[in-house]
């Protein structure tokens, strides 16, 4: 979603701000802007609609200089994408940038208009600038005005402020939206994501909810409940956390698809013994918690929700543990009946997904045994809110459409099944089989990646199509859902995923020669049932693309394309069959010429409702 960058330095900060914004482009945005205090202490502001590169070109023309500044990329929530709605917003000598949503902005706007303030935007964020200016007129100084402002705001926010009467200071605060301080030598920084600051520092402080921070080029002061020193809170991150260039790949998505063998190796590293999953990898106290678990409640959004659906099959079939899965945005708004000794599992690549995070916070008083999160971002809000956390270790995922994080989520969930199952009904032999299958997964993924050129050729069949169906059965039904999501996300082709047995209950009415049907066909107990479903498609003239285990007898003919997938254990087949559907979606999008890495209307980290 929106991105924030700030810098206080001895040098001009324009290039620092612009590079930080470039590194936040993966989050999705529609406009960009920056504000800098010039050497005379006067505020200068520049905003553009569109990409950061457009802002950068405009900045080169304006020749703005100054050693203190803030910058922002905006993803519209209130008001259409426009230069007027872009950040920073100003009032008097104040400039602010804001991530999140101010829920009482209409009430505040009415009060401010009655006090003579005129609004140039339709955003909730401009309220912050005017309210702060108003409070500054009543307060002794800007820190006091900030505290008065925060007392009035309702909702979620990360805010950064510069002001002409404080020409050497950035003030910032967070509540429900991430914010991180970067520590440099003779300069300090601020951002909504530490990745924005990787070119200038590797030392960070991840701010907590309710904290207010004051930053100068030489000092950082944090005000809140945490009384730990700045040095004790500083965390050094090595280069593993820095996103690398695309290298030989045309898009980040392609690069991230091909990184999956190593991503899986990274998430398995240090977490498996020869015969079992090491329970302690889930965090301190995991063994005591897992020993009591009698049921599982999984929540997530989008692709994360689909990984939970796969895990439901695993938990109930392999470990004999009841498992419920729900979309976080629905779960948080309904009454939940919690069974005794239920473990809450929250899944979010960013660890900042607003609905998932809010759901975890809302249910803290409910009768859950404990909470566990799966995140790909160290020190994310979700990882700090739950009792236990397992990092996905997928590495930076820049493309909006998730690939390697999705696969690693599945891997980590299967490890969780094994870890909890060890205390219950999971036989030791099955535990050993899971571990062996997980260890073999990277090589199986490499085998499927070797089919890339064949999948690219097949994908040309989809370029002129407007709709598609994806079919799967059992634990591969959620993989069909994910395949449909990937295709629609990046190619803009309408696609739906179905349990194959549901065809005759409605979707079969859509099947004709203009509706390609993609099927995931591993060699499992449901393969004969799936074959019957595919015959139903062929009988109605539908075109089939089948990703099938090489041991299955399926004959290619006009209207039927079969891509043979090397045989693997059924324990890991959902991960293996994820790879060809990712490649299919990618190549279709490339042929159609869409923006693969930043599809329209979407954002990487969904930090608002």
């Amino acid at each position: 979603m929106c991105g924030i960058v700030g810098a206080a330095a001895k040098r001009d900060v324009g290039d620092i701000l612009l590079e930080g914004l470039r590194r936040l482009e993966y989050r999705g945005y529609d406009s960009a802007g920056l504000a800098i205090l010039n050497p005379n202490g006067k505020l200068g502001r520049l905003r553009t609609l569109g990409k950061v590169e457009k802002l950068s070109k405009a900045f080169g023309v304006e020749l703005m200089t100054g050693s203190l500044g803030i910058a922002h990329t905006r993803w519209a929530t209130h008001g259409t994408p426009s230069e007027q709605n872009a950040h920073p917003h100003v009032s008097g000598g104040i400039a602010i940038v804001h991530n999140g949503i101010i829920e009482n902005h209409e009430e505040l706007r009415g009060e401010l208009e009655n006090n003579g303030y005129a609004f140039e935007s339709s955003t909730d964020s401009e309220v912050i600038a005017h309210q702060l200016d108003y409070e500054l007129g009543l307060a002794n100084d800007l820190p006091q005005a900030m505290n008065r402002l925060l007392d009035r705001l309702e909702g979620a926010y990360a805010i950064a402020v510069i002001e002409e009467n404080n020409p050497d200071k950035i003030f910032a605060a967070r509540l429900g939206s991430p914010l991180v301080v970067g520590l440099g030598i003779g300069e300090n920084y601020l951002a909504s994501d530490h990745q924005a600051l990787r070119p200038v520092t590797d030392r960070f402080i991840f701010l907590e909810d309710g904290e207010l921070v004051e930053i100068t080029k030489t000092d950082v002061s944090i005000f809140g409940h945490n009384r730990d020193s700045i040095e004790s809170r500083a965390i050094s991150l090595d280069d593993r956390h820095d996103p690398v260039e695309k290298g030989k790949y045309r898009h980040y998505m392609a690069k991230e698809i091909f990184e999956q063998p190593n991503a899986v190796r990274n998430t398995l590293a240090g977490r498996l013994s020869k015969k079992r999953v090491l329970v302690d990898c889930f965090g301190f106290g995991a063994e005591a918690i897992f020993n009591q678990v009698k049921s599982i409640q999984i929540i997530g959004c989008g692709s994360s929700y689909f990984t939970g659906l796969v895990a439901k099959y695993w938990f109930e079939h392999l470990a004999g543990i009841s498992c419920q899965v729900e979309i976080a945005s629905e779960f948080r708004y309904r009454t939940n009946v919690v069974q005794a000794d239920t473990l809450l599992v929250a899944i979010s690549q960013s660890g900042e997904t607003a609905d998932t995070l809010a759901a975890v916070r809302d249910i803290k008083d409910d009768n859950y045994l404990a909470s566990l999160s799966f995140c790909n971002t160290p020190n994310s809000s979700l990882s700090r809110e739950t009792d236990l956390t397992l990092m996905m270790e997928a590495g930076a995922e820049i493309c909006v459409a998730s690939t390697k994080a999705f696969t690693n989520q599945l891997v980590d969930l299967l490890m969780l099944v094994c870890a909890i199952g060890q205390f219950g009904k999971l036989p030791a032999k099955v535990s050993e089989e899971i571990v062996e299958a997980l260890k073999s997964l990277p090589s199986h993924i490499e085998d499927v990646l070797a089919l890339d050129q064949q999948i690219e050729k097949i994908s040309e069949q989809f370029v002129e199509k407007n709709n598609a169906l994806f079919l799967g059965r059992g634990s591969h039904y959620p993989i069909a859902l994910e395949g449909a999501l990937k295709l629609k996300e990046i190619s803009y082709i309408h696609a739906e995923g179905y349990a194959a047995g549901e065809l005759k209950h409605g979707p079969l009415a859509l099947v004709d020669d203009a509706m390609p049907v993609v099927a995931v066909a591993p060699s499992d107990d449901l393969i004969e049932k799936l074959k019957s479903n595919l015959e139903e498609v062929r009988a109605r003239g539908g075109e089939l693309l089948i990703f099938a285990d090489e041991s299955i007898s399926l004959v290619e003919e006009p209207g039927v394309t079969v891509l043979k997938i090397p045989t693997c254990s059924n324990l890991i087949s959902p991960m293996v069959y994820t790879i060809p559907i990712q490649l299919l979606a990618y190549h279709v999008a490339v042929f159609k010429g869409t923006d693969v890495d930043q599809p329209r209307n979407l954002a990487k980290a969904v930090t608002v409702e």
Side-chain angles (χ1 to χ4, degrees):
M1 307 298 281
C2 305
I4 289 174
V5 183
K10 297 178 181 178
R11 53 175 168 156
D12 286 339
V13 297
D15 288 340
I16 297 174
L17 299 177
L18 288 168
E19 178 58 27
L21 293 185
R22 290 187 189 99
R23 287 173 165 255
L24 294 177
E25 286 188 296
Y26 73 92
R27 298 171 72 94
Y29 67 103
D30 51 60
S31 57
L34 54 79
I36 294 176
L37 286 175
N38 68 28
N40 297 321
K42 295 298 180 181
L43 189 65
R45 176 176 62 159
L46 183 63
R47 300 178 294 172
T48 59
L49 179 64
K51 300 294 185 182
V52 171
E53 186 58 31
K54 184 177 179 181
L55 177 68
S56 181
K57 290 179 179 178
F59 181 80
V61 174
E62 291 288 331
L63 298 176
M64 296 171 65
T65 61
S67 59
L68 188 84
I70 53 177
H72 190 267
T73 52
R74 176 179 185 259
W75 189 77
T77 56
H78 294 77
T80 59
S82 68
E83 184 176 320
Q84 288 72 28
N85 287 332
H87 299 218
H89 293 290
V90 299
S91 184
I94 294 170
I96 71 99
V97 291
H98 163 236
N99 289 355
I101 290 178
I102 304 304
E103 293 184 335
N104 62 333
H105 70 97
E106 291 183 351
E107 174 190 346
L108 295 175
R109 179 185 286 258
E111 294 177 6
L112 289 163
E113 287 175 336
N114 290 336
N115 285 315
Y117 286 91
F119 285 76
E120 68 170 26
S121 79
S122 53
T123 71
D124 58 332
S125 302
E126 191 181 0
V127 166
I128 298 171
H130 292 316
Q131 187 70 34
L132 182 57
D133 182 70
Y134 175 78
E135 300 295 350
L136 188 57
L138 303 176
N140 296 322
D141 52 26
L142 188 56
Q144 186 182 35
M146 284 287 292
N147 282 317
R148 292 172 62 95
L149 166 73
L150 300 179
D151 286 341
R152 293 301 314 276
L153 299 182
E154 298 175 9
Y157 55 77
I159 303 168
V161 177
I162 57 175
E163 195 252 340
E164 289 180 343
N165 292 325
N166 289 270
D168 61 343
K169 296 177 180 178
I170 300 174
F171 294 88
R174 68 154 289 186
L175 183 69
S177 194
L179 207 56
V180 59
V181 174
L183 304 176
I185 300 174
E187 53 192 44
N188 292 302
Y189 323 95
L190 184 77
S192 52
D193 186 332
H194 72 276
Q195 301 289 4
L197 305 176
R198 293 294 285 146
V200 289
T201 186
D202 61 357
R203 298 180 67 233
F204 302 94
I205 297 173
F206 293 85
L207 297 179
E208 298 176 0
D209 266 356
E211 289 190 321
L212 176 67
V213 61
E214 179 182 308
I215 297 171
T216 71
K217 61 188 176 184
T218 56
D219 295 299
V220 173
S221 301
I222 300 176
F223 307 96
H225 296 298
N226 190 332
R227 300 301 182 184
D228 293 341
S229 68
I230 297 297
E231 282 302 314
S232 67
R233 290 184 63 176
I235 297 172
S236 295
L237 301 179
D238 59 35
D239 289 339
R240 291 185 304 117
H241 301 97
D242 191 22
V244 297
E245 298 299 322
K246 286 179 279 192
K248 65 180 182 179
Y249 298 100
R250 183 175 173 183
H251 300 96
Y252 279 110
M253 184 176 183
K255 170 182 168 290
E256 289 158 12
I257 289 173
F258 278 84
E259 285 178 340
Q260 287 177 105
N262 283 335
V264 171
R265 291 185 182 101
N266 289 338
T267 202
L268 294 175
R271 294 169 172 174
L272 302 178
S273 69
K274 290 184 178 181
K275 296 184 177 181
R276 63 187 184 91
V277 172
L278 301 176
V279 176
D280 289 343
C281 73
F282 291 89
F284 178 76
E287 183 172 345
I289 292 171
F290 290 177
N291 194 33
Q292 301 177 63
V293 171
K294 291 185 173 61
S295 66
I296 305 289
Q297 173 66 66
I298 298 176
I299 57 173
C301 297
S303 294
S304 296
Y305 167 66
F306 296 152
T307 63
L309 291 177
V310 177
K312 176 179 175 67
Y313 287 92
W314 288 334
F315 270 113
E316 298 192 345
H317 176 66
L318 298 173
I321 297 174
S322 173
C323 179
Q324 304 300 316
V325 187
E326 193 155 352
I327 299 168
S329 58
E330 291 294 316
F331 181 82
R332 61 180 290 205
Y333 289 114
R334 72 171 183 81
T335 301
N336 301 292
V337 178
V338 183
Q339 302 299 320
D341 297 322
T342 295
L343 175 68
L344 177 74
V345 179
I347 309 172
S348 167
Q349 185 276 147
S350 66
E352 305 293 347
T353 305
D355 285 309
T356 306
L357 190 56
V360 169
R361 289 170 173 167
D362 289 347
I363 62 172
K364 281 186 174 178
D365 294 332
D366 286 342
N367 188 33
Y368 285 95
L369 174 65
S371 58
L372 164 67
S373 61
F374 290 90
C375 300
N376 194 41
T377 306
N379 304 291
S380 65
S381 296
L382 186 60
S383 67
R384 297 197 302 272
E385 295 280 348
T386 52
D387 300 306
L388 304 173
T389 298
L390 187 72
M391 286 295 129
M392 299 175 196
E393 298 293 348
E397 189 176 68
I398 306 302
C399 177
V400 168
S402 181
T403 52
K404 59 181 180 176
F406 177 84
T407 304
N408 273 25
Q409 285 174 15
L410 289 173
V411 171
D412 294 340
L413 283 164
L414 184 54
M415 285 199 292
L416 179 64
V417 172
C418 191
I420 294 177
Q422 294 172 22
F423 298 98
K425 298 179 180 180
L426 185 70
K429 181 180 179 181
V430 176
S431 178
E432 292 178 28
E433 291 174 354
I434 292 173
V435 169
E436 190 62 32
L438 286 171
K439 289 178 178 179
S440 71
L441 179 57
S443 63
H444 284 293
I445 294 175
E446 288 169 346
D447 290 341
V448 179
L449 291 172
L451 303 173
D452 179 51
Q453 291 185 354
Q454 296 180 52
I455 296 173
E456 180 180 13
K457 185 176 181 180
I458 292 169
S459 67
E460 292 186 68
Q461 303 172 19
F462 286 73
V463 174
E464 301 301 324
K465 303 297 185 182
N466 296 314
N467 302 281
L469 290 177
F470 284 72
L471 304 179
R473 297 204 70 145
S475 61
H476 298 83
Y477 160 50
I479 303 306
L481 293 172
E482 173 67 6
L485 177 61
K486 283 292 160 286
L487 188 67
K488 73 179 79 171
E489 277 183 312
I490 62 172
S491 75
Y492 313 148
I493 294 174
H494 174 253
E496 298 296 335
Y498 279 92
E502 285 294 292
L503 270 176
K504 61 180 72 69
H505 296 288
L508 204 55
L510 299 173
V511 172
D512 58 21
D513 59 5
M515 172 77 80
V517 178
V518 182
V520 178
S523 180
D524 59 19
D525 293 341
L526 293 172
I527 187 58
E528 294 304 321
K529 297 290 186 182
L530 179 61
K531 284 183 178 180
S532 297
N533 302 140
L534 300 182
E535 285 299 324
E536 294 171 346
V537 173
R538 286 301 297 140
R540 284 140 181 99
E543 294 185 358
L544 279 169
L545 168 57
I546 309 170
F547 295 117
D549 186 286
E550 61 187 1
S551 67
I552 297 172
S553 176
L554 287 170
V555 180
E556 281 203 355
E557 58 181 280
V560 179
T561 302
V562 180
L563 186 72
K564 295 291 188 180
I565 304 298
T567 299
C568 66
S569 166
N570 288 332
L571 293 166
I572 56 170
S573 57
M575 294 78 122
V576 172
Y577 281 82
T578 293
I579 310 304
I581 64 172
Q582 292 175 350
L583 289 170
L584 176 69
Y586 171 73
H587 287 301
V588 172
V590 171
F591 279 122
K592 289 180 68 69
T594 62
D595 191 339
V596 174
D597 288 332
Q598 297 178 44
R600 66 190 183 201
N601 303 331
L602 299 180
K604 183 64 175 175
V606 185
T607 56
V608 296
E609 253 187 272

